[in-house]
Coordinates of all heavy atoms in Angstrom, one line a residue:
M230 N 168.6 109.4 77.9 CA 168.0 109.4 79.3 C 168.8 110.5 80.0 O 170.0 110.7 80.0 CB 168.4 108.1 79.9 CG 168.0 107.8 81.4 SD 168.3 106.3 82.1 CE 167.1 105.2 81.2
Q231 N 168.0 111.3 80.8 CA 168.7 112.2 81.6 C 169.4 111.8 82.8 O 169.2 110.6 83.2 CB 167.5 113.2 82.2 CG 166.7 113.9 81.2 CD 167.4 115.0 80.5 OE1 168.3 115.7 81.0 NE2 167.3 115.0 79.2
L232 N 170.5 112.4 83.1 CA 171.4 112.0 84.1 C 170.8 111.6 85.5 O 170.9 110.6 86.1 CB 172.5 113.0 84.5 CG 173.4 112.6 85.6 CD1 174.1 111.3 85.4 CD2 174.5 113.8 85.8
V233 N 169.7 112.5 86.0 CA 169.2 112.3 87.2 C 168.3 111.0 87.1 O 168.1 110.2 88.0 CB 168.3 113.5 87.7 CG1 167.0 113.7 86.8 CG2 167.9 113.4 89.2
D234 N 167.7 110.8 85.9 CA 166.9 109.5 85.8 C 167.9 108.3 85.8 O 167.6 107.2 86.3 CB 166.1 109.6 84.5 CG 165.1 110.7 84.5 OD1 164.5 111.0 85.5 OD2 164.8 111.2 83.4
A235 N 168.9 108.3 85.1 CA 169.8 107.2 85.1 C 170.4 107.0 86.6 O 170.5 105.8 86.9 CB 171.1 107.5 84.1
L236 N 170.6 107.9 87.3 CA 171.2 107.8 88.7 C 170.1 107.2 89.4 O 170.4 106.2 90.3 CB 171.5 109.2 89.3 CG 172.9 109.8 88.9 CD1 172.9 111.2 89.3 CD2 174.1 109.0 89.4
S237 N 168.8 107.5 89.4 CA 167.7 107.1 90.1 C 167.6 105.5 89.7 O 167.5 104.7 90.7 CB 166.5 107.7 89.8 OG 165.4 107.3 90.4
N238 N 167.5 105.2 88.5 CA 167.4 103.8 88.0 C 168.5 102.9 88.6 O 168.4 101.9 88.9 CB 167.3 103.8 86.6 CG 165.9 104.3 86.0 OD1 164.9 104.2 86.7 ND2 166.0 104.8 84.9
W239 N 169.7 103.5 88.5 CA 171.0 102.9 88.9 C 170.8 102.5 90.4 O 171.1 101.4 90.8 CB 172.2 103.6 88.6 CG 173.5 103.1 89.1 CD1 174.2 102.1 88.6 CD2 174.1 103.3 90.4 NE1 175.2 101.7 89.3 CE2 175.2 102.6 90.5 CE3 173.7 104.3 91.4 CZ2 176.0 102.8 91.5 CZ3 174.6 104.4 92.4 CH2 175.8 103.5 92.6
L240 N 170.4 103.5 91.1 CA 170.3 103.3 92.6 C 169.4 102.3 93.0 O 169.5 101.4 93.9 CB 170.1 104.7 93.2 CG 170.2 104.8 94.8 CD1 171.7 104.3 95.2 CD2 169.9 106.2 95.2
S241 N 168.1 102.3 92.3 CA 167.2 101.4 92.5 C 167.5 99.9 92.2 O 167.3 99.1 93.0 CB 165.8 101.8 91.7 OG 165.3 102.9 92.2
I242 N 168.1 99.7 91.1 CA 168.5 98.4 90.7 C 169.8 98.0 91.5 O 170.0 96.7 91.8 CB 168.8 98.3 89.2 CG1 168.8 96.8 88.8 CG2 169.9 98.9 88.7 CD1 167.4 96.0 89.0
R243 N 170.6 98.9 92.0 CA 171.8 98.6 92.8 C 171.2 97.9 94.2 O 171.8 96.9 94.6 CB 172.5 99.9 93.3 CG 173.6 99.7 94.1 CD 174.4 101.0 94.3 NE 175.4 101.0 95.4 CZ 175.3 101.3 96.6 NH1 174.1 101.8 97.1 NH2 176.2 101.3 97.6
K244 N 170.2 98.5 94.7 CA 169.5 97.9 95.9 C 169.2 96.5 95.7 O 169.4 95.6 96.4 CB 168.4 98.7 96.3 CG 167.5 98.3 97.4 CD 167.9 98.6 98.8 CE 167.1 98.0 99.8 NZ 167.1 98.8 101.0
V245 N 168.4 96.3 94.6 CA 168.0 94.9 94.2 C 169.2 93.9 94.1 O 169.2 92.8 94.6 CB 167.1 95.0 93.0 CG1 166.7 93.6 92.5 CG2 165.9 95.9 93.2
H246 N 170.2 94.4 93.3 CA 171.3 93.5 93.0 C 172.1 93.3 94.3 O 172.5 92.1 94.5 CB 172.2 94.3 92.1 CG 173.5 93.5 91.8 ND1 173.5 92.3 91.2 CD2 174.8 93.9 91.8 CE1 174.7 91.9 91.1 NE2 175.5 92.7 91.4
E247 N 172.1 94.2 95.3 CA 172.9 94.0 96.6 C 172.1 92.9 97.4 O 172.7 92.0 98.0 CB 173.0 95.2 97.3 CG 174.2 96.1 96.7 CD 174.3 97.4 97.4 OE1 173.5 97.8 98.3 OE2 175.4 98.0 97.2
K248 N 170.8 93.0 97.4 CA 170.0 92.2 98.1 C 169.7 90.7 97.6 O 169.4 89.8 98.4 CB 168.7 92.9 98.5 CG 168.8 94.2 99.3 CD 169.1 93.8 100.8 CE 169.0 95.1 101.7 NZ 169.4 94.8 103.1
R249 N 169.9 90.8 96.3 CA 169.5 89.6 95.5 C 170.7 89.2 94.6 O 170.7 89.2 93.4 CB 168.3 89.6 94.7 CG 167.0 90.0 95.6 CD 165.9 90.2 94.8 NE 165.5 89.3 93.7 CZ 164.6 88.3 93.9 NH1 163.8 88.3 94.9 NH2 164.4 87.5 92.9
P250 N 171.9 88.8 95.2 CA 173.1 88.7 94.4 C 173.0 87.7 93.4 O 173.8 87.5 92.4 CB 174.2 88.4 95.4 CG 173.5 88.0 96.6 CD 172.1 88.6 96.6
H251 N 172.2 86.6 93.6 CA 172.1 85.5 92.7 C 170.9 85.9 91.5 O 170.7 84.9 90.7 CB 171.7 84.2 93.3 CG 172.9 83.8 94.4 ND1 174.1 83.5 94.0 CD2 172.6 83.7 95.7 CE1 174.7 83.4 95.1 NE2 174.0 83.6 96.1
D252 N 170.4 86.9 91.5 CA 169.3 87.3 90.5 C 170.0 87.9 89.4 O 170.5 89.0 89.2 CB 168.5 88.4 91.2 CG 167.2 88.8 90.2 OD1 167.4 88.6 89.0 OD2 166.2 89.2 90.9
L253 N 170.1 87.0 88.2 CA 170.8 87.4 87.1 C 170.2 88.6 86.3 O 171.0 89.4 85.8 CB 170.8 86.1 86.0 CG 171.6 86.3 84.8 CD1 173.0 86.7 85.0 CD2 171.4 85.1 83.8
A254 N 168.9 88.6 86.4 CA 168.2 89.9 85.8 C 168.6 91.2 86.4 O 168.9 92.3 85.8 CB 166.7 89.7 85.7
A255 N 168.7 91.2 87.8 CA 169.1 92.4 88.5 C 170.6 92.6 88.2 O 170.9 93.7 88.1 CB 168.9 92.0 90.1
K256 N 171.3 91.6 88.2 CA 172.8 91.9 87.9 C 172.9 92.5 86.5 O 173.7 93.5 86.4 CB 173.5 90.5 87.8 CG 175.0 90.7 87.5 CD 175.7 89.3 87.5 CE 177.1 89.2 87.2 NZ 177.5 89.6 85.8
E257 N 172.3 92.0 85.5 CA 172.4 92.5 84.0 C 171.9 93.9 84.0 O 172.4 94.7 83.2 CB 171.6 91.6 83.1 CG 172.5 90.2 82.9 CD 171.8 89.2 82.1 OE1 170.6 89.5 81.7 OE2 172.3 88.3 81.7
T258 N 170.7 94.1 84.7 CA 170.1 95.5 84.7 C 171.1 96.5 85.4 O 171.2 97.6 85.0 CB 168.6 95.5 85.4 OG1 168.0 94.5 84.7 CG2 168.1 96.9 85.3
F259 N 171.7 96.1 86.6 CA 172.6 96.9 87.2 C 173.8 97.4 86.3 O 174.2 98.5 86.2 CB 173.0 96.2 88.5 CG 174.2 97.1 89.2 CD1 173.9 98.2 90.0 CD2 175.4 96.6 89.2 CE1 174.9 98.9 90.5 CE2 176.5 97.3 89.8 CZ 176.2 98.5 90.6
E260 N 174.3 96.4 85.6 CA 175.4 96.6 84.7 C 175.1 97.4 83.5 O 175.8 98.2 83.1 CB 175.9 95.3 84.1 CG 176.6 94.4 85.1 CD 177.0 92.9 84.7 OE1 176.5 92.5 83.6 OE2 177.7 92.3 85.4
F261 N 173.8 97.3 83.1 CA 173.3 98.3 82.0 C 173.2 99.6 82.5 O 173.7 100.6 81.7 CB 171.9 97.7 81.7 CG 171.1 98.6 80.7 CD1 171.5 98.7 79.3 CD2 170.1 99.4 81.2 CE1 170.8 99.6 78.4 CE2 169.4 100.3 80.3 CZ 169.8 100.3 79.0
F262 N 172.8 99.8 83.6 CA 172.5 101.3 84.1 C 174.0 101.9 84.5 O 174.2 103.0 84.3 CB 171.6 101.5 85.4 CG 170.2 101.6 84.7 CD1 169.4 100.5 84.8 CD2 169.7 102.6 84.0 CE1 168.1 100.6 84.3 CE2 168.4 102.7 83.6 CZ 167.6 101.6 83.7
T263 N 174.8 101.0 85.0 CA 176.2 101.5 85.3 C 176.9 101.9 84.0 O 177.5 102.8 83.8 CB 177.0 100.3 85.8 OG1 176.4 99.9 87.1 CG2 178.5 100.7 86.0
E264 N 176.6 101.1 82.9 CA 177.2 101.4 81.5 C 176.6 102.8 81.0 O 177.4 103.6 80.6 CB 176.8 100.4 80.5 CG 177.5 100.6 79.2 CD 177.2 99.3 78.3 OE1 177.6 98.2 78.7 OE2 176.7 99.5 77.2
I265 N 175.4 103.0 81.2 CA 174.8 104.3 80.9 C 175.4 105.4 81.6 O 175.8 106.4 80.9 CB 173.2 104.4 81.1 CG1 172.5 103.4 80.0 CG2 172.6 105.8 81.0 CD1 171.1 103.2 80.3
L266 N 175.6 105.3 82.8 CA 176.2 106.4 83.7 C 177.7 106.6 83.3 O 178.1 107.7 83.1 CB 176.3 106.0 85.1 CG 174.9 106.1 85.8 CD1 175.0 105.5 87.3 CD2 174.4 107.5 85.7
T267 N 178.4 105.6 83.0 CA 179.9 105.7 82.7 C 180.1 106.1 81.3 O 180.9 107.0 80.9 CB 180.7 104.4 83.0 OG1 180.2 103.4 82.4 CG2 180.7 104.2 84.5
E268 N 179.5 105.6 80.3 CA 179.5 105.7 78.9 C 178.9 107.0 78.4 O 179.3 107.7 77.6 CB 179.4 104.5 78.0 CG 180.5 103.5 78.4 CD 180.2 102.2 77.6 OE1 179.5 102.3 76.5 OE2 180.9 101.1 77.8
D269 N 177.5 107.1 78.8 CA 176.8 108.2 78.3 C 177.0 109.5 78.9 O 176.9 110.6 78.4 CB 175.3 107.9 78.1 CG 175.1 106.7 77.3 OD1 175.8 106.2 76.6 OD2 173.8 106.3 77.3
H270 N 177.1 109.3 80.3 CA 177.3 110.6 81.1 C 178.7 110.9 81.7 O 178.9 111.8 82.5 CB 176.2 110.5 82.2 CG 174.8 110.5 81.8 ND1 174.2 111.6 81.2 CD2 173.9 109.5 81.6 CE1 173.0 111.4 80.9 NE2 172.7 110.0 81.0
H271 N 179.5 109.9 81.5 CA 180.9 110.1 82.0 C 181.0 110.1 83.5 O 181.8 111.0 84.1 CB 181.7 111.2 81.2 CG 181.5 111.2 79.9 ND1 182.3 110.2 79.1 CD2 180.8 111.9 78.9 CE1 181.8 110.2 77.9 NE2 181.0 111.2 77.7
V272 N 180.1 109.4 84.2 CA 179.9 109.4 85.7 C 180.8 108.6 86.4 O 181.0 107.4 85.9 CB 178.4 109.3 86.1 CG1 178.4 109.0 87.6 CG2 177.6 110.5 85.7
N273 N 181.5 109.0 87.4 CA 182.3 108.1 88.3 C 181.5 108.3 89.6 O 181.5 109.3 90.3 CB 183.7 108.4 88.5 CG 184.4 107.7 89.4 OD1 184.2 106.5 89.5 ND2 185.3 108.3 90.2
I274 N 180.9 107.1 90.2 CA 180.2 107.2 91.5 C 181.3 107.3 92.5 O 182.2 106.5 92.7 CB 179.4 106.0 91.7 CG1 178.3 105.9 90.7 CG2 178.7 106.1 93.1 CD1 177.3 106.9 90.6
V275 N 181.3 108.3 93.4 CA 182.2 108.6 94.4 C 181.6 107.8 95.8 O 182.4 107.1 96.4 CB 182.3 110.1 94.8 CG1 183.3 110.2 96.0 CG2 183.0 110.7 93.5
A276 N 180.4 108.0 96.2 CA 179.8 107.5 97.3 C 178.3 107.4 97.4 O 177.7 108.3 96.6 CB 180.3 108.3 98.5
V277 N 177.6 106.6 98.0 CA 176.2 106.6 98.2 C 176.1 106.6 99.8 O 176.5 105.7 100.4 CB 175.5 105.4 97.6 CG1 174.1 105.3 98.0 CG2 175.8 105.3 96.0
T278 N 175.4 107.5 100.3 CA 175.1 107.6 101.6 C 173.8 107.8 102.0 O 172.9 108.3 101.2 CB 176.1 108.7 102.3 OG1 175.5 109.9 101.7 CG2 177.4 108.5 102.1
I279 N 173.4 107.6 103.3 CA 171.9 108.1 103.8 C 172.1 109.4 104.5 O 172.9 109.4 105.4 CB 171.4 106.9 104.6 CG1 171.2 105.7 103.7 CG2 170.1 107.3 105.3 CD1 170.7 104.4 104.4
S280 N 171.2 110.3 104.1 CA 171.2 111.6 104.7 C 169.7 111.9 105.1 O 168.9 112.3 104.2 CB 171.8 112.6 103.8 OG 171.6 113.9 104.4
G281 N 169.2 111.5 106.2 CA 167.8 111.9 106.7 C 166.9 110.8 105.9 O 167.3 109.7 105.8
P282 N 166.0 111.3 105.2 CA 165.1 110.5 104.4 C 165.6 110.2 102.9 O 164.8 109.7 102.1 CB 163.8 111.3 104.3 CG 164.2 112.7 104.3 CD 165.5 112.7 105.3
Y283 N 167.0 110.5 102.7 CA 167.4 110.5 101.4 C 168.5 109.5 101.3 O 169.4 109.4 102.2 CB 167.8 111.8 100.9 CG 166.9 112.9 101.0 CD1 166.9 113.9 101.9 CD2 166.0 113.1 99.9 CE1 166.0 114.9 102.0 CE2 165.1 114.1 99.9 CZ 165.1 115.1 101.0 OH 164.0 116.1 101.1
Y284 N 168.7 108.8 100.1 CA 170.1 108.4 99.6 C 170.8 109.6 98.9 O 170.0 110.2 98.1 CB 169.9 107.2 98.6 CG 169.4 106.0 99.1 CD1 168.1 105.5 98.8 CD2 170.3 105.2 100.0 CE1 167.8 104.2 99.3 CE2 169.7 103.9 100.4 CZ 168.6 103.5 100.1 OH 168.2 102.2 100.6
E285 N 172.0 109.8 99.2 CA 172.6 110.8 98.5 C 173.8 110.3 97.7 O 174.5 109.4 98.1 CB 173.3 111.9 99.4 CG 174.0 113.0 98.7 CD 174.5 114.0 99.7 OE1 174.5 113.9 100.9 OE2 175.1 115.1 99.2
V286 N 173.7 110.4 96.3 CA 174.6 109.9 95.5 C 175.7 110.9 95.2 O 175.3 112.0 94.6 CB 174.0 109.2 94.2 CG1 175.2 108.9 93.3 CG2 173.0 108.2 94.6
K287 N 176.9 110.8 95.6 CA 178.0 111.7 95.2 C 178.7 111.1 94.0 O 179.1 110.0 94.0 CB 178.9 111.9 96.4 CG 178.2 112.6 97.5 CD 179.1 112.9 98.8 CE 178.4 113.4 99.8 NZ 179.3 113.5 101.0
Y288 N 179.0 112.0 93.0 CA 179.7 111.5 91.8 C 180.4 112.7 91.2 O 180.3 113.8 91.6 CB 178.6 111.0 90.8 CG 177.5 112.1 90.3 CD1 177.7 112.8 89.2 CD2 176.4 112.3 91.1 CE1 177.0 113.9 88.8 CE2 175.6 113.4 90.7 CZ 175.7 114.0 89.6 OH 174.9 115.1 89.2
E289 N 181.2 112.2 90.2 CA 182.1 113.1 89.5 C 181.9 112.9 88.0 O 181.7 111.9 87.6 CB 183.6 112.7 89.9 CG 184.6 113.6 89.4 CD 186.0 113.1 89.7 OE1 186.4 113.4 91.0 OE2 186.6 112.4 89.0
V290 N 181.9 114.0 87.4 CA 181.9 114.1 85.9 C 182.9 115.0 85.4 O 182.9 116.2 85.8 CB 180.5 114.6 85.4 CG1 180.5 114.8 83.8 CG2 179.3 113.6 85.9
N291 N 183.9 114.5 84.7 CA 185.1 115.4 84.2 C 185.6 116.2 85.2 O 186.0 117.4 85.0 CB 184.5 116.3 83.0 CG 184.0 115.4 81.8 OD1 184.5 114.3 81.6 ND2 182.8 115.9 81.2
G292 N 185.9 115.6 86.3 CA 186.7 116.3 87.5 C 185.7 117.1 88.4 O 186.2 117.8 89.3
T293 N 184.5 117.3 88.1 CA 183.7 118.2 88.9 C 182.7 117.2 89.7 O 182.0 116.4 89.1 CB 182.8 118.9 88.0 OG1 183.6 119.8 87.1 CG2 181.8 120.0 88.7
E294 N 182.9 117.5 91.0 CA 182.0 116.5 91.9 C 180.5 117.3 92.0 O 180.4 118.4 92.1 CB 182.7 116.5 93.4 CG 183.6 115.4 93.4 CD 184.1 115.0 94.8 OE1 183.2 115.1 95.6 OE2 185.1 114.5 94.9
S295 N 179.5 116.4 92.1 CA 178.2 116.9 92.2 C 177.5 115.8 93.1 O 178.1 114.7 93.4 CB 177.5 116.9 90.9 OG 178.0 117.9 90.0
S296 N 176.4 116.1 93.5 CA 175.4 115.0 94.2 C 174.0 115.3 93.8 O 173.5 116.2 93.5 CB 175.7 115.1 95.7 OG 175.2 116.4 96.2
E297 N 173.3 114.1 94.1 CA 171.8 114.2 93.9 C 171.2 113.4 95.0 O 171.9 112.4 95.6 CB 171.3 113.5 92.6 CG 171.6 114.2 91.4 CD 170.8 115.3 91.1 OE1 169.7 115.4 91.8 OE2 171.3 116.1 90.3
K298 N 170.1 113.8 95.6 CA 169.4 113.1 96.6 C 168.1 112.5 96.1 O 167.4 113.1 95.3 CB 169.0 114.1 97.8 CG 170.2 114.6 98.4 CD 169.9 115.5 99.7 CE 171.1 115.8 100.5 NZ 170.7 116.7 101.6
F299 N 167.8 111.3 96.6 CA 166.5 110.5 96.3 C 165.9 110.2 97.4 O 166.5 109.5 98.4 CB 167.0 109.4 95.3 CG 167.7 109.8 94.1 CD1 169.1 109.8 94.0 CD2 167.0 110.2 92.9 CE1 169.7 110.1 93.0 CE2 167.7 110.5 91.8 CZ 169.1 110.6 91.7
F300 N 164.6 110.2 97.6 CA 163.8 109.7 98.7 C 164.1 108.2 98.9 O 164.0 107.4 97.9 CB 162.4 109.9 98.7 CG 162.0 111.3 99.1 CD1 161.7 112.3 98.1 CD2 162.1 111.8 100.4 CE1 161.3 113.6 98.4 CE2 161.7 113.0 100.7 CZ 161.4 113.9 99.7
I301 N 164.5 107.8 100.0 CA 164.7 106.3 100.3 C 163.5 105.5 99.9 O 163.7 104.4 99.3 CB 165.1 106.2 101.7 CG1 166.5 106.7 102.0 CG2 165.0 104.6 102.1 CD1 166.9 106.7 103.5
D302 N 162.3 106.0 100.2 CA 161.1 105.2 99.9 C 160.9 104.9 98.4 O 160.5 103.9 98.0 CB 159.9 105.8 100.5 CG 159.8 105.8 102.1 OD1 160.5 105.1 102.7 OD2 158.9 106.5 102.6
S303 N 161.3 106.0 97.6 CA 161.0 105.8 96.2 C 162.1 104.8 95.6 O 161.9 104.1 94.7 CB 161.3 107.2 95.6 OG 160.3 108.0 96.0
I304 N 163.3 104.9 96.1 CA 164.4 104.1 95.5 C 164.0 102.5 96.1 O 164.3 101.6 95.2 CB 165.8 104.4 96.0 CG1 166.1 106.0 95.5 CG2 166.8 103.5 95.7 CD1 166.1 105.9 94.1
D305 N 163.7 102.4 97.2 CA 163.4 101.0 97.8 C 162.3 100.4 97.2 O 162.0 99.2 97.4 CB 163.5 101.1 99.3 CG 164.8 101.3 100.0 OD1 165.8 101.5 99.2 OD2 164.8 101.4 101.0
A306 N 161.4 101.1 96.5 CA 160.1 100.7 96.1 C 160.3 99.4 95.2 O 159.5 98.5 95.2 CB 159.1 101.6 95.4
L307 N 161.3 99.5 94.2 CA 161.5 98.5 93.3 C 161.8 97.2 94.0 O 161.2 96.0 93.8 CB 162.7 98.8 92.3 CG 163.0 97.7 91.3 CD1 161.8 97.3 90.4 CD2 164.2 98.2 90.5
Y308 N 162.8 97.3 95.0 CA 163.2 96.0 95.7 C 161.9 95.5 96.5 O 161.7 94.4 96.5 CB 164.3 96.3 96.7 CG 164.5 95.2 97.5 CD1 165.1 94.0 97.1 CD2 164.3 95.3 99.0 CE1 165.5 93.0 98.0 CE2 164.7 94.2 99.9 CZ 165.0 93.1 99.3 OH 165.4 92.0 100.2
E309 N 161.3 96.3 97.2 CA 160.1 95.8 97.9 C 159.0 95.2 97.1 O 158.3 94.4 97.6 CB 159.5 97.1 98.8 CG 160.5 97.4 99.9 CD 160.2 98.8 100.6 OE1 159.1 99.4 100.1 OE2 160.9 99.3 101.5
G310 N 158.8 95.9 95.8 CA 157.8 95.2 94.9 C 158.2 93.8 94.5 O 157.3 92.9 94.5
I311 N 159.5 93.7 94.2 CA 160.1 92.4 93.9 C 159.9 91.3 95.0 O 159.4 90.3 94.8 CB 161.5 92.5 93.3 CG1 161.4 93.2 92.1 CG2 162.1 91.0 93.2 CD1 162.9 93.7 91.6
Q312 N 160.2 91.8 96.1 CA 160.1 90.9 97.2 C 158.7 90.5 97.5 O 158.5 89.4 98.1 CB 160.7 91.6 98.5 CG 162.3 91.6 98.5 CD 162.9 90.3 98.4 OE1 163.2 89.8 97.3 NE2 163.0 89.5 99.6
S313 N 157.7 91.3 97.4 CA 156.3 91.0 97.7 C 155.7 90.2 96.6 O 154.5 89.7 96.8 CB 155.6 92.3 97.9 OG 155.4 92.9 96.7
E314 N 156.4 90.1 95.4 CA 155.9 89.1 94.4 C 156.4 87.7 94.4 O 157.4 87.5 94.2 CB 156.2 89.8 93.1 CG 155.6 89.1 91.8 CD 154.1 89.2 91.8 OE1 153.5 90.2 92.0 OE2 153.5 88.1 91.4
P315 N 155.4 86.7 94.8 CA 155.9 85.4 95.0 C 156.6 84.8 93.8 O 157.5 83.9 93.8 CB 154.5 84.7 95.2 CG 153.6 85.6 95.8 CD 153.9 86.9 95.1
R316 N 156.2 85.1 92.5 CA 156.8 84.6 91.4 C 158.3 84.9 91.2 O 159.0 84.3 90.6 CB 156.0 84.7 90.2 CG 156.1 86.3 89.7 CD 155.1 86.5 88.5 NE 155.1 87.9 88.3 CZ 155.0 88.4 87.1 NH1 155.0 87.7 86.1 NH2 155.0 89.9 87.2
F317 N 158.7 85.9 91.9 CA 160.1 86.4 91.8 C 160.9 85.9 92.9 O 162.1 86.2 93.0 CB 160.2 87.9 91.9 CG 159.5 88.6 90.6 CD1 158.7 89.6 90.6 CD2 160.0 88.2 89.3 CE1 158.3 90.3 89.5 CE2 159.4 88.8 88.1 CZ 158.5 89.7 88.4
N318 N 160.3 85.1 93.8 CA 161.0 84.6 94.9 C 160.9 83.0 95.0 O 161.4 82.4 96.0 CB 160.3 85.1 96.2 CG 160.6 86.7 96.3 OD1 161.7 87.1 96.4 ND2 159.5 87.5 96.4
E319 N 160.7 82.5 93.9 CA 160.6 81.0 93.8 C 162.1 80.4 93.5 O 162.8 81.2 92.8 CB 159.8 80.4 92.7 CG 158.3 80.8 92.8 CD 157.5 80.5 91.5 OE1 158.1 80.1 90.5 OE2 156.3 80.6 91.6
E320 N 162.5 79.5 94.1 CA 163.7 79.0 93.9 C 163.9 78.2 92.6 O 162.9 77.6 92.1 CB 164.1 77.8 95.0 CG 164.4 78.5 96.4 CD 165.5 79.3 96.6 OE1 166.6 79.0 95.8 OE2 165.5 80.4 97.2
C321 N 164.9 78.3 91.9 CA 165.1 77.8 90.5 C 165.7 76.5 90.6 O 166.5 76.1 91.4 CB 165.9 78.7 89.6 SG 165.4 80.3 89.2

């Protein structure tokens, strides 16, 4: 998996995990993408900020800082899709 794809997936599931802290699948998926970033790409996330219509992820790889921007609408689409699906919002 390319780094930019891993960052995008991590950011999308991070939003779901933060908004749905009791969702075990979201937690496990967030941990999975965190592991991909740290073990496969040696990424240390420095910060996630909002910059205009983007989320900006600042990260470090082997001492070198970089950043990527992702449209907020694209990242939030996963969370919004889950929230709009009644079967994912039933109490267990």
Side-chain angles (χ1 to χ4, degrees):
M230 178 179 297
Q231 298 293 319
L232 175 57
V233 71
D234 295 329
L236 285 167
S237 175
N238 289 328
W239 174 84
L240 191 56
S241 293
I242 198 61
R243 175 181 177 258
K244 167 88 176 204
V245 175
H246 178 54
E247 286 179 348
K248 296 289 188 177
R249 299 171 56 98
H251 300 296
D252 183 333
L253 183 59
K256 178 182 184 286
E257 290 174 350
T258 306
F259 175 71
E260 290 170 352
F261 172 73
F262 281 106
T263 299
E264 185 176 307
I265 287 174
L266 288 173
T267 58
E268 293 186 12
D269 294 354
H270 296 285
H271 310 287
V272 166
N273 177 40
I274 301 294
V275 175
V277 176
T278 58
I279 293 177
S280 175
Y283 304 100
Y284 285 113
E285 183 173 7
V286 179
K287 294 180 183 177
Y288 62 95
E289 184 178 279
V290 177
N291 301 322
T293 303
E294 282 198 25
S295 296
S296 67
E297 290 288 341
K298 289 184 177 181
F299 303 94
F300 281 107
I301 290 171
D302 291 346
S303 296
I304 296 301
D305 290 356
L307 176 62
Y308 173 71
E309 291 167 4
I311 290 169
Q312 285 300 99
S313 69
E314 182 62 45
R316 66 185 172 142
F317 293 129
N318 293 301
E319 297 173 355
E320 291 295 323
C321 296

